[in-house]
Amino acid sequence: MYSEQLNLAMPTTTTSSSSFSSAASSSGNRQADVFSRLASPDPEVKLKALREVKNQIIGNRTKKLSFLKLGAVPAIASALSDSECNSILVQSAAALGSFACGFEAGVQAVLDAGVFPRLLRLLTSSDEKVVDAGARSLRMIFQSNQAPKYDFLQEKNMEFLFSLLNSENENVSGLGASIIAHACGTTVEQQVLCEAGVLEKLVILLDGSLSQREACLESLATVLKNNPEAVSRFVGLEAGRYLSSVTELTKDRYPRTRLLSCLCLVVIYNTSPSYFLNMGTKSSLVTTLLELLNDPGQSGDEAALGLSSLIAEKEDLQKLAYEANAIKNIVDILKTGSELHPKRLQGLFLSLAELCSKLEDCRCSFLSLEMLDLLVNALRHNNADVRTAACICFRNAARSVKVAVLGALSNIVLDFSSPKSTFIEYGGIKQLIELSKSMDPNTRCSALRALRNLMFLADKKRKELFYSEVKAQGFVSLISGKQSPLNHNHMIHLILQLTTKTKTYSSSDPEPTVQEQGLALLRNLVDGCINSIEFVFDEEGLILDTVGRQLRKSPQAQMAIQGMYVLTNVASGTELHKEAVMQQLFPQPQAESNNFMLKFLQSHESQLRSATVWTIINLISPSSPGALDRHVKLREEGIIPQLKNMVNDACLDVKIRIRTVLSQSMSFVPDTLIIPQVKAVRKSLYHYLYHS
């Protein structure tokens, strides 16, 4: 609950400090006079003093504090305990409730006065007004976190709770619901309440007064939160009638009722999304919460946190919110210049953070609204929750900036040689490697793309510098699903020398696009001289083995293309390198490979067919001593016959490469064949090469 806000009119004329002092003194004297009359033995004087205190402090935090300092709460508690006059009981309870309403110091003072048991006894009074006053006061107390803990596991407490819920007095039944909303905090308590039939009692209040409806909605949200069994039980009541009732209340004319019904639906959706398959319901929920953000009171504060909870990790709802102009609406509220409650600020920045967490359009829209100053101010806010929310918002929004910068950097290091040297000189490679471990897949991809371009036609020194930072295990973490021992903790620098520690992405990278960029980077690393190929043989060939395993898993086409080009480059090396590639293509036992080469040659992706044929060309280069044996193996595995069937491939590049392979094959006619057989074989190959 929040402290009540003051709306004091500022004076329009100049007043001396002595005048202010005089006014303050006069006010203090009046409060002291009222306080002194609280102890009067005359019931009429005491009753009038109680009314005056109650009327002065309603909605006025300053006067509550003044009376607290005078010791008014113990005096009122004494009046409540010592009197049997119903009028005094009513006014005492009402005054204590006003002290507790939205004022934590007031709640503490009421509890310290030991008056809580006496307020409970008022509920048994035969006078309906006394019961009402006691119930209202207790509800104010139970809206605070300082309220006494209520143990639902004790049978007598459960009986008392049901006696409250069964009451025909709306304030008493509302008190029962408020106790549940305050005190139910564990799955065990939720289960005990559900098994006792609390849900069936609460839903009756949905058809009651405004006060009962709102208390019911708060309690339902508490009992259902993160409890699928409780949600299922609630939804099943009267074939979903009460779920429909809560949904209908999101259109109520009272903002508080709309908010509480929305928050209840958010709890249900977050716990059991299957009950919200209707896109219209989702859209309506998002729209209602966005409208409530403009409410100037407590409902607006809580709506912001409700919205952030609703759209967290849900891209479909984030899209709905974006289409409903959520970002501009939130930014407009932040730019109003009025002082916003910390809870509202926290919710607004968390909502922006969620909107910017997945959707690039949201990030671009957010950055276009010139929010930098507001973010910086929020990062300096005296409330820790606001600062945390602002940090998360900045981190998510900054992903777009990092990706854009990395994209531009990729082009620079590809097109020019001089900027490459400068970039490397200032530790650019190390920074890119750190960014390749980011939580955000777009950032990882962009960093890897920049590294790939840096390695394009790079000299030996640059490649060795890069490899010394990433090592074999680094590549394994990028191109496979296996854990790596790399230390992934790193700092992301924020603006204006502000920094924050961020969680890095798991070394087991499930993003196909990231794996593709990792393979493309490796392709460029091993391209060129023989020394470059040796990188994949580090740590007993760990990198090459990983590439082979990935290709045997039937990866997406783009991943397979980059993987085959890695093998193509390795196969361009020595006899040892070529044999290592053959071992990856046809490992032992044979069944492990499933002949993925044939699948790649039959792929609809021409680039994949071309990369596969290029690998074959390098493997059976006639100048290599083991070319004949490899050719025999390829023929036995059905690769060469498949190529003969592809001489008229629709892709010109593939067709040219296939003819190169078949031309090479003419060198592998066994010497043991008699001349007519040799001529027949060569004639057949010639036919495939030039007449197909």
Side-chain angles (χ1 to χ4, degrees):
M1 225 31 214
Y2 313 138
S3 56
E4 295 175 3
Q5 300 295 316
L6 291 175
N7 293 306
L8 301 178
M10 296 299 291
T12 55
T13 57
T14 304
T15 308
S16 68
S17 58
S18 60
S19 298
F20 279 126
S21 177
S22 176
S25 176
S26 175
S27 175
N29 290 336
R30 286 197 302 271
Q31 290 171 1
D33 175 61
V34 174
F35 171 70
S36 66
R37 286 187 277 120
L38 288 173
S40 173
D42 187 336
E44 289 299 323
V45 173
K46 182 178 290 189
L47 181 62
K48 185 177 180 181
L50 287 168
R51 284 200 184 100
E52 285 189 47
V53 172
K54 180 193 71 177
N55 292 337
Q56 283 193 45
I57 66 175
I58 289 177
N60 193 321
R61 188 175 183 277
T62 302
K63 288 190 176 181
K64 286 182 184 181
L65 192 58
S66 296
F67 274 108
L68 277 185
K69 291 177 178 179
L70 288 171
V73 170
I76 296 171
S78 178
L80 180 70
S81 300
D82 298 340
S83 178
E84 295 298 328
C85 172
N86 286 344
S87 296
I88 289 179
L89 293 178
V90 169
Q91 293 302 320
S92 298
L96 292 171
S98 293
F99 272 110
C101 182
F103 187 47
E104 291 299 314
V107 175
Q108 188 62 56
V110 171
L111 294 175
D112 288 346
V115 77
F116 186 78
R118 177 60 171 154
L119 289 172
L120 285 174
R121 287 197 295 274
L122 295 183
L123 301 179
T124 62
S125 173
S126 59
D127 189 306
E128 195 70 15
K129 290 183 179 179
V130 173
V131 173
D132 266 348
R136 285 196 189 99
S137 184
L138 287 166
R139 284 188 68 179
M140 295 302 102
I141 293 172
F142 272 105
Q143 287 176 344
S144 166
N145 290 329
Q146 298 184 65
K149 178 63 178 173
Y150 196 89
D151 188 357
F152 297 109
L153 303 182
Q154 292 188 21
E155 186 176 349
K156 64 177 183 178
N157 287 350
M158 188 68 80
E159 290 175 358
F160 177 67
L161 177 66
F162 271 84
S163 71
L164 298 178
L165 293 174
N166 289 327
S167 174
E168 294 182 1
N169 183 304
E170 67 176 75
N171 285 308
V172 175
S173 59
L175 170 61
S178 295
I179 291 174
I180 294 172
H182 162 76
C184 180
T186 68
T187 303
V188 172
E189 289 173 332
Q190 290 173 327
Q191 184 177 348
V192 168
L193 288 170
C194 287
E195 290 175 353
V198 159
L199 287 177
E200 288 79 359
K201 290 294 181 183
L202 286 175
V203 293
I204 296 173
L205 302 182
L206 286 174
D207 297 323
S209 67
L210 174 63
S211 173
Q212 288 175 314
R213 283 201 307 271
E214 292 183 352
C216 168
L217 290 168
E218 283 188 280
S219 301
L220 283 174
T222 302
V223 176
L224 302 179
K225 187 174 184 179
N226 298 326
N227 193 322
E229 291 182 11
V231 170
S232 177
R233 185 169 186 149
F234 169 73
V235 173
L237 293 175
E238 295 192 24
R241 174 197 161 193
Y242 294 109
L243 176 61
S244 299
S245 296
V246 173
T247 304
E248 194 62 29
L249 286 173
T250 61
K251 306 170 188 174
D252 195 84
R253 62 177 176 145
Y254 294 104
R256 184 71 183 164
T257 303
R258 293 202 303 276
L259 169 73
L260 293 174
S261 58
C262 283
L263 295 182
C264 189
L265 290 177
V266 169
V267 164
I268 295 171
Y269 183 80
N270 287 345
T271 304
S272 301
S274 59
Y275 294 116
F276 283 82
L277 298 177
N278 187 298
M279 189 58 73
T281 303
K282 297 179 185 179
S283 179
S284 176
L285 188 54
V286 169
T287 302
T288 303
L289 284 170
L290 285 174
E291 291 172 352
L292 285 166
L293 293 180
N294 295 303
D295 185 275
Q298 181 181 346
S299 294
D301 298 338
E302 295 184 22
L305 283 171
L307 178 64
S308 68
S309 176
L310 174 63
I311 64 176
E313 300 296 324
K314 305 180 191 76
E315 190 169 338
D316 59 334
L317 293 185
Q318 291 169 8
K319 286 180 180 177
L320 286 175
Y322 174 67
E323 291 166 0
N325 215 16
I327 290 181
K328 187 176 185 305
N329 288 346
I330 293 173
V331 171
D332 285 346
I333 293 171
L334 290 169
K335 286 184 174 181
T336 56
S338 58
E339 186 174 349
L340 301 176
H341 193 282
K343 183 166 280 192
R344 185 184 295 241
L345 281 174
Q346 179 193 8
L348 292 174
F349 280 114
L350 285 178
S351 295
L352 286 172
E354 292 297 340
L355 286 166
C356 293
S357 65
K358 295 180 180 294
L359 304 177
E360 183 65 18
D361 286 347
C362 287
R363 289 193 283 268
C364 292
S365 176
F366 173 78
L367 293 171
S368 70
L369 294 173
E370 300 178 357
M371 275 285 296
L372 189 59
D373 289 344
L374 289 172
L375 263 178
V376 172
N377 289 337
L379 289 167
R380 296 168 176 158
H381 200 279
N382 57 11
N383 183 283
D385 291 333
V386 174
R387 295 197 301 273
T388 301
C391 280
I392 297 171
C393 179
F394 179 79
R395 182 195 65 191
N396 290 353
R399 290 175 183 172
S400 182
V401 177
K402 280 191 287 186
V403 170
V405 170
L406 287 169
L409 183 60
S410 294
N411 294 331
I412 291 173
V413 299
L414 178 64
D415 292 339
F416 305 101
S417 58
S418 179
K420 282 185 182 180
S421 301
T422 304
F423 181 77
I424 294 167
E425 181 183 343
Y426 284 93
I429 287 180
K430 192 168 186 176
Q431 291 299 317
L432 287 175
I433 291 172
E434 287 300 306
L435 287 170
S436 73
K437 306 167 192 172
S438 166
M439 284 179 63
D440 178 44
N442 290 329
T443 302
R444 294 200 301 281
C445 276
S446 297
L448 289 170
R449 192 175 292 113
L451 285 168
R452 182 192 71 187
N453 290 347
L454 268 174
M455 291 303 107
F456 180 67
L457 300 180
D459 58 25
K460 177 183 176 182
K461 182 179 178 181
R462 185 184 305 155
K463 288 183 177 181
E464 288 178 346
L465 175 63
F466 164 73
Y467 191 77
S468 68
E469 295 286 348
V470 72
K471 301 293 187 185
Q473 290 285 358
F475 272 113
V476 169
S477 71
L478 292 171
I479 61 181
S480 78
K482 299 217 171 168
Q483 291 297 322
S484 164
L486 284 176
N487 178 11
H488 280 176
N489 292 325
H490 66 288
M491 298 290 287
I492 295 180
H493 293 281
L494 296 180
I495 53 171
L496 300 177
Q497 299 179 346
L498 290 166
T499 60
T500 181
K501 192 93 169 191
T502 61
K503 176 184 174 184
T504 52
Y505 204 84
S506 165
S507 60
S508 172
D509 206 315
E511 297 284 345
T513 52
V514 175
Q515 295 182 45
E516 176 196 338
Q517 290 302 321
L519 287 165
L521 168 58
L522 181 58
R523 169 188 173 182
N524 284 356
L525 181 68
V526 298
D527 183 33
C529 65
I530 299 295
N531 289 336
S532 296
I533 298 175
E534 290 297 326
F535 289 123
V536 299
F537 291 93
D538 190 20
E539 295 191 30
E540 299 181 349
L542 178 62
I543 297 175
L544 189 60
D545 287 343
T546 303
V547 173
R549 279 196 302 272
Q550 291 301 99
L551 290 173
R552 290 191 288 276
K553 290 179 181 178
S554 299
Q556 294 182 7
Q558 294 304 313
M559 282 177 59
I561 290 168
Q562 298 303 332
M564 286 308 300
Y565 274 122
V566 170
L567 296 187
T568 298
N569 288 343
V570 175
S572 69
T574 65
E575 188 69 16
L576 176 64
H577 298 152
K578 296 179 194 296
E579 286 302 318
V581 171
M582 287 295 290
Q583 188 60 38
Q584 297 302 327
L585 297 176
F586 310 109
Q588 299 298 326
Q590 183 68 23
E592 185 184 344
S593 70
N594 295 321
N595 210 336
F596 66 86
M597 290 268 287
L598 276 178
K599 294 179 184 177
F600 291 171
L601 289 172
Q602 295 164 358
S603 170
H604 295 298
E605 287 285 343
S606 60
Q607 283 184 297
L608 181 53
R609 299 197 302 275
S610 180
T612 305
V613 177
W614 262 117
T615 303
I616 297 169
I617 290 173
N618 287 348
L619 286 172
I620 63 172
S621 173
S623 61
S624 180
L628 174 58
D629 291 339
R630 289 189 288 274
H631 183 272
V632 170
K633 180 64 175 176
L634 290 167
R635 188 174 64 235
E636 290 174 352
E637 294 293 332
I639 305 301
I640 300 300
Q642 173 64 27
L643 292 177
K644 291 179 180 179
N645 294 330
M646 296 170 61
V647 290
N648 288 320
D649 193 276
C651 175
L652 179 60
D653 183 63
V654 175
K655 182 187 294 187
I656 292 171
R657 305 307 163 204
I658 288 174
R659 295 195 175 207
T660 300
V661 173
L662 295 179
S663 178
Q664 289 174 328
S665 297
M666 294 177 68
S667 305
F668 303 124
V669 177
D671 294 336
T672 56
L673 292 177
I674 61 175
I675 293 178
Q677 290 175 313
V678 173
K679 288 182 177 179
V681 172
R682 288 182 173 164
K683 182 177 180 181
S684 174
L685 290 171
Y686 182 85
H687 172 76
Y688 275 110
L689 285 169
Y690 302 110
H691 296 289
S692 297

